[in-house]
Amino acid sequence: MALNSLSIGAYVPLKTQFLFRPKLKAFSVVSKPRKVPFLVRSMGSSASSQRPDNLQDIDGPSPTEAAAVDYASLSNNEWKKRLTPEQFYVTRQKGTERAFTGEYWNTKTPGTYHCICCDTPLFESSTKFDSGTGWPSYYQPIGKNVQSKLDLSIIFMPREEVICAACGAHLGHVFDDGPPPTGKRYCINSASLRLKPE
């Protein structure tokens, strides 16, 4: 279901709130949580959240490195060193790339889509379909490598967020309007994926 942009207020965690102070020309942390307005866009709409520009592709961890890393213990600074700004924004800050701009939204290359953060195989190209939304869509993940959890960021429209089971990276959302045999549409950000062609 496509939604228009909504401006709503929500409580934002203390460590994500910042105020711009023109006299100091710097950001400073707000001393206590407060209700702040922000713009919400849903995957499936024709536009999406702002994203950083001037991005470049980088190689992810090797399979040997991926097996040896405790992803839960990595700090945001460590993730920033491993990922491009867009990859960090999407996977670690639950961002959304603009529709019809991601690297894989229209790709037909056979292969396996892996997590950009930890190299876990997530989706086979054989389960990819054209949903018309502008994001890569799949009707089934690989095994139990993708998990879902309730996302209440849009109060009146609860959704199921999908994350990588190995490292907790935000991938996108899953909806119940996909094709057979599952009837599911895993609407995924290209920035969270790396395609390994057959």
Side-chain angles (χ1 to χ4, degrees):
M1 174 193 303
L3 288 180
N4 293 327
S5 301
L6 301 171
S7 182
I8 62 175
Y11 285 97
V12 178
L14 177 61
K15 52 184 174 177
T16 62
Q17 292 189 30
F18 295 91
L19 288 179
F20 182 70
R21 309 227 183 223
K23 292 179 185 176
L24 301 176
K25 296 190 178 186
F27 288 91
S28 61
V29 176
V30 176
S31 59
K32 62 181 181 178
R34 7 179 262 178
K35 195 168 187 176
V36 294
F38 62 93
L39 187 67
V40 174
R41 296 188 191 265
S42 171
M43 288 187 84
S45 63
S46 61
S48 67
S49 305
Q50 297 282 333
R51 67 177 184 155
D53 292 326
N54 302 326
L55 304 174
Q56 60 184 15
D57 290 328
I58 60 171
D59 292 330
S62 68
T64 307
E65 179 188 356
V69 175
D70 176 14
Y71 295 104
S73 69
L74 291 180
S75 68
N76 279 341
N77 284 337
E78 290 171 308
W79 281 118
K80 284 178 181 178
K81 291 175 187 174
R82 294 169 169 263
L83 304 170
T84 67
E86 182 180 37
Q87 291 164 351
F88 178 80
Y89 166 70
V90 168
T91 62
R92 308 326 301 184
Q93 297 183 310
K94 301 185 181 193
T96 301
E97 65 198 9
R98 291 192 307 261
F100 303 101
T101 64
E103 181 178 0
Y104 302 124
W105 79 270
N106 199 26
T107 299
K108 308 271 193 281
T109 306
T112 304
Y113 292 86
H114 290 243
C115 177
I116 197 71
C117 295
C118 68
D119 204 38
T120 298
L122 302 173
F123 300 96
E124 294 290 350
S125 61
S126 59
T127 67
K128 190 173 189 278
F129 67 98
D130 184 3
S131 64
T133 62
W135 288 280
S137 297
Y138 310 84
Y139 62 78
Q140 182 175 349
I142 296 173
K144 296 184 179 180
N145 293 351
V146 173
Q147 296 177 338
S148 66
K149 65 179 185 176
L150 187 60
D151 175 0
L152 296 174
S153 61
I154 300 178
I155 298 168
F156 57 85
M157 190 184 97
R159 301 175 294 170
E160 286 292 316
E161 177 190 7
V162 288
I163 60 174
C164 173
C167 71
H170 170 78
L171 306 173
H173 292 86
V174 61
F175 302 94
D176 291 323
D177 58 2
T182 65
K184 299 288 186 183
R185 171 173 59 95
Y186 288 84
C187 192
I188 308 299
N189 291 283
S190 291
S192 67
L193 302 173
R194 177 180 294 105
L195 173 61
K196 295 190 177 181
E198 288 180 354

